Amino acid sequence: MPKGELSPATVLVTGVSGYVGGRLLPLLESAGLRVRCLARRPEFLSGRVSPATDIVAGDVLDRASLDHALRGIHTAFYLVHAMGSGADFEAEESHGARNFAAAAAAQGVRRIIYLGGLAREDAQLSAHLRSRHEVGRILRESGVPTVELRTSIVLGSGSLSFEMIRALVERLPAMITPRWVNVPTQPIAIDDLLRYLVASIEIPLAESRVFEIGGADRVSYGELMREYARQRGLKRMMIPVPFLTPRLSSLWLGLVTPLYARIGRRLVDSITTATVVTDDSSSRVFNVRPMGMPAAIALALRNEDREFAATRWFDAVCSAGPAKQWGGARFGNRILDARSCDVTATPQRVYQQVTRIGGTHGWYGYDWLWHLRGAIDLMIGGVGMRRGSPPAAQLRPGAAVDFWRVESMEPGHRLRLAAEMKVPGRAWLEFEVVPRPGGATLRQTAMFDPVGLGGLLYWYALYPIHRLIFARMLASLAAAAERGPSVDARPASAAPTAR
């Protein structure tokens, strides 16, 4: 959104650490708004906000903390929920909403924008949807004009519903589908939802209003899964059955998807209710024309590629905790294996060794395994290892390196190779050289985007071999860099230890 398009009001955003709030924040910052973020743990937002954005400590369950946070605020986004909390989450959500409504009124806030759940008022609502509607009612009755956007499931890389669909389709060649898979819904792309949220700042608003928003298509969860499978090139069988209660379905989701069983239960409870737009007043107030379901899924996959390309892999894996020890850290659908090594050689010399990889120089250890993999690739119709590698001085994006191709590079700093061998998915190998006092840190990350269950089986079946290869590669690269004119040569066995 062009800077200056909106008036420079002061805006408070809650739920910045969540999916929608985290994506909304940079749009508000780039629009030239003065932004303040409310966070229970402000340190978690360090490095994620612009220098001009304020971060204040506070909690919607702590009434006293909200007065300071809301002082001087024109518009407040209420994007918090307690779906992952315990059995009393409805009471907790109502308590937080009452605190926020009272503080907003006391501090003279001019507008509240709330993201709620889409469902008919007279429907038999799940606890989650019932709570979403109750929170909206509390905010609307605060005396502060409130825009309540009621939406169905959100399609975007990282959203709860999209990740559930992805995990089911990727991991299950055949699915037993209960009745709720056929319930109609009107999914909205995250980009369209963000447009509605930003536009809500300036729409005419004399009193509180509820707007139902959704994408262009009314579909079922079954149709969503079939479309995802089509775009990923997967064949999936769906076997409908007249049973599987929400409770059993949530346990099933907990086994095959990243969702916690508790959140899965509440999600399934909600999707047993039709979530389609019945009031089209939003189309007359907002200048947003939402995309259809196939386009939303395609955009989610493209956005994930862009986010994937912009992510620093080692940092992403470190934030994943213990999973990095066995190469199972995740970024969306991708599996990462990351390692690093500190060396005393200069960053320039380390990068020079990285650019010599492949071809006649080899792969810094277990070359016979690399050639065996190349021979297998050739037999199954792949490119094999016959292409070799150009001299380091001629290495550039698009150049072939055995059965890899240079996807991108930053001379002296980073080299990313994309695999062109036959694999059930997509694979990358990235090297990053980071200067440090007295030398450099070499970071090496293998990344795999598996397609279907076969892709997952491929990664985990070969991971013991990959672990040996990747460890030797990093250690040998570091040793080669340190065998320079400024240091004594040392055998590979004395190479720095990878971590």
Side-chain angles (χ1 to χ4, degrees), residues 168 172 175-176 178 180 244 248-257:
L168 288 171
L172 297 177
M175 287 175 267
I176 296 175
W180 58 259
L244 275 185
L248 289 175
S249 295
S250 68
L251 296 175
W252 168 52
L253 290 174
L255 290 174
V256 298
T257 78

Side-chain angles (χ1 to χ4, degrees), residues 219-430:
V219 296
S220 67
Y221 263 85
E223 290 172 298
L224 276 166
M225 290 189 281
R226 283 188 284 270
E227 177 61 23
Y228 179 90
R230 186 192 68 80
Q231 294 197 25
R232 289 283 285 172
L234 298 167
K235 293 184 178 180
R236 291 295 180 258
M237 179 185 298
M238 296 187 185
I239 307 168
V241 295
F243 51 89
L244 275 185
T245 65
R247 178 174 177 77
L248 289 175
S249 295
S250 68
L251 296 175
W252 168 52
L253 290 174
L255 290 174
V256 298
T257 78
L259 299 172
Y260 296 109
R262 183 171 60 210
I263 296 177
R265 169 70 186 278
R266 290 169 186 165
L267 182 61
V268 172
D269 280 344
S270 298
I271 61 181
T272 57
T273 301
T275 54
V276 296
V277 174
T278 59
D279 175 3
D280 67 352
S281 60
S282 63
S283 64
R284 297 187 293 274
V285 175
F286 292 88
N287 187 27
V288 178
R289 298 296 174 261
M291 68 187 75
M293 179 267 290
I297 291 177
L299 183 61
L301 294 172
R302 288 199 304 272
N303 283 347
E304 185 173 71
D305 280 344
R306 185 176 66 244
E307 294 158 13
F308 170 68
T311 300
R312 286 298 179 228
W313 306 112
F314 187 80
D315 294 336
V317 172
C318 280
S319 67
K324 69 185 178 68
Q325 298 175 3
W326 51 272
R330 304 299 289 263
F331 182 90
N333 195 51
R334 294 159 175 82
I335 309 173
L336 314 180
D337 174 277
R339 304 164 187 275
S340 76
C341 180
D342 291 338
V343 294
T344 58
T346 64
Q348 293 79 7
R349 184 163 182 83
V350 177
Y351 187 76
Q352 181 184 48
Q353 293 301 319
V354 168
T355 57
R356 298 180 65 197
I357 203 163
T360 58
H361 189 74
W363 289 85
Y364 291 93
Y366 296 114
D367 274 7
W368 67 273
L369 283 174
W370 287 93
H371 284 281
L372 176 61
R373 179 64 178 87
I376 294 173
D377 189 59
L378 201 59
M379 286 190 292
I380 61 177
V383 297
M385 297 277 281
R386 296 181 300 178
R387 299 184 302 182
S389 176
Q394 298 178 20
L395 198 65
R396 58 181 55 89
V401 180
D402 291 332
F403 45 50
W404 303 83
R405 191 171 295 277
V406 178
E407 182 175 271
S408 63
M409 60 187 299
E410 298 173 27
H413 176 55
R414 187 173 60 87
L415 174 68
R416 180 183 296 153
L417 306 175
E420 294 191 335
M421 78 282 278
K422 296 282 188 178
V423 290
R426 297 183 294 167
W428 296 263
L429 184 61
E430 179 174 286

Side-chain angles (χ1 to χ4, degrees), residues 10 67 70-76 100-112 143-145:
T10 302
D67 287 314
L70 288 164
R71 189 169 297 125
I73 293 295
H74 179 278
T75 299
F100 195 84
Q107 295 301 322
V109 172
R110 305 290 295 277
R111 180 173 301 195
I112 296 173
V144 178

Side-chain angles (χ1 to χ4, degrees), residues 13-299:
V13 184
T14 64
V16 176
S17 59
Y19 178 70
V20 175
R23 297 202 174 203
L24 175 65
L25 176 62
L27 294 181
L28 300 177
E29 291 174 334
S30 65
L33 296 168
R34 295 191 296 272
V35 182
R36 183 181 300 164
C37 297
L38 177 73
R40 285 180 294 182
R41 300 289 299 274
E43 64 272 19
F44 287 179
L45 298 183
S46 177
R48 296 176 56 184
V49 304
S50 78
T53 296
D54 295 329
I55 305 174
V56 297
D59 188 338
V60 296
L61 299 178
D62 178 6
R63 171 68 172 80
S65 70
L66 297 177
D67 287 314
H68 170 67
L70 288 164
R71 189 169 297 125
I73 293 295
H74 179 278
T75 299
F77 284 90
Y78 195 79
L79 304 176
V80 297
H81 66 77
M83 192 165 69
S85 301
D88 294 333
F89 81 97
E90 288 186 80
E92 185 175 311
E93 287 197 331
S94 295
H95 179 53
R98 283 192 292 270
N99 284 342
F100 195 84
Q107 295 301 322
V109 172
R110 305 290 295 277
R111 180 173 301 195
I112 296 173
I113 301 172
Y114 166 63
L115 183 60
L118 178 60
R120 290 168 57 98
E121 293 283 0
D122 58 356
Q124 186 174 355
L125 300 181
S126 68
H128 168 58
L129 285 174
R130 186 171 62 242
S131 179
R132 296 282 80 199
H133 283 202
E134 174 65 10
V135 168
R137 183 193 64 78
I138 293 170
L139 296 176
R140 294 196 309 273
E141 294 178 354
S142 66
V144 178
T146 298
V147 177
E148 180 179 350
L149 298 177
R150 292 184 177 177
T151 182
S152 182
I153 62 176
V154 178
L155 294 180
S157 175
S159 75
L160 188 63
S161 298
F162 184 77
E163 293 305 324
M164 183 190 76
I165 292 165
R166 183 218 298 279
L168 288 171
V169 177
E170 294 280 356
R171 299 179 186 185
L172 297 177
M175 287 175 267
I176 296 175
T177 55
R179 286 192 300 267
W180 58 259
V181 173
N182 297 317
V183 171
T185 184
Q186 200 161 341
I188 186 169
I190 180 62
D191 288 42
D192 288 332
L193 172 57
L194 294 173
R195 292 186 184 99
Y196 278 111
L197 287 168
V198 174
S200 295
I201 298 173
E202 292 201 330
I203 63 168
L205 189 69
E207 59 184 9
S208 294
R209 294 200 55 186
V210 175
F211 295 101
E212 297 181 350
I213 60 175
D217 298 324
R218 294 185 179 185
V219 296
S220 67
Y221 263 85
E223 290 172 298
L224 276 166
M225 290 189 281
R226 283 188 284 270
E227 177 61 23
Y228 179 90
R230 186 192 68 80
Q231 294 197 25
R232 289 283 285 172
L234 298 167
K235 293 184 178 180
R236 291 295 180 258
M237 179 185 298
M238 296 187 185
I239 307 168
V241 295
F243 51 89
L244 275 185
T245 65
R247 178 174 177 77
L248 289 175
S249 295
S250 68
L251 296 175
W252 168 52
L253 290 174
L255 290 174
V256 298
T257 78
L259 299 172
Y260 296 109
R262 183 171 60 210
I263 296 177
R265 169 70 186 278
R266 290 169 186 165
L267 182 61
V268 172
D269 280 344
S270 298
I271 61 181
T272 57
T273 301
T275 54
V276 296
V277 174
T278 59
D279 175 3
D280 67 352
S281 60
S282 63
S283 64
R284 297 187 293 274
V285 175
F286 292 88
N287 187 27
V288 178
R289 298 296 174 261
M291 68 187 75
M293 179 267 290
I297 291 177
L299 183 61

